[in-house]
Amino acid sequence: MASNKIGLENMENPHEEQQKMLLGRIVSNVKKLNEVLEDMNSRIQEINEYNRDIVILSQFWSNYSRNATFNLESMQKLMEPM
């Protein structure tokens, strides 16, 4: 029985080399994917920072427009749009 165990331990998986290669490719592709996702996240963060400035400007303009309309109406000098 002991000789059978030794014989089985020494038998190699015929697909082991192919499995190692596939696992290596998977690991490599996951590393590349991670790098791309990190780059994409940093670019999205930059876009969000630029958009924040646009949102603030839009809020300023909206407030200005609302205040100007209120003041013109209170002075009764608001003209009808053409």
Side-chain angles (χ1 to χ4, degrees), residues 37-63:
L37 289 175
E38 287 176 354
D39 183 49
M40 185 179 75
N41 282 338
S42 67
R43 290 174 190 240
I44 288 174
Q45 186 176 7
E46 289 175 11
I47 291 170
N48 285 338
E49 289 172 9
Y50 292 133
N51 286 343
R52 184 176 44 232
D53 293 341
I54 293 171
V55 167
I56 291 170
L57 179 63
S58 172
Q59 290 171 344
F60 283 148
W61 180 255
S62 178
N63 289 339

Side-chain angles (χ1 to χ4, degrees), residues 9-23:
E9 289 174 359
N10 290 335
M11 285 185 61
E12 291 187 23
N13 181 350
H15 304 289
E16 185 175 4
E17 190 64 33
Q18 186 177 18
Q19 290 171 347
K20 284 182 182 179
M21 286 177 34
L22 287 173
L23 187 58

Side-chain angles (χ1 to χ4, degrees), residues 18-31:
Q18 186 177 18
Q19 290 171 347
K20 284 182 182 179
M21 286 177 34
L22 287 173
L23 187 58
R25 287 175 54 195
I26 290 171
V27 168
S28 173
N29 287 336
V30 168
K31 285 181 182 178

Side-chain angles (χ1 to χ4, degrees), residues 57-81:
L57 179 63
S58 172
Q59 290 171 344
F60 283 148
W61 180 255
S62 178
N63 289 339
Y64 171 79
S65 176
R66 186 176 58 242
N67 290 338
T69 300
F70 174 79
N71 288 328
L72 289 173
E73 285 175 347
S74 68
M75 294 186 321
Q76 297 178 347
K77 293 190 177 182
L78 181 63
M79 298 176 68
E80 290 296 319

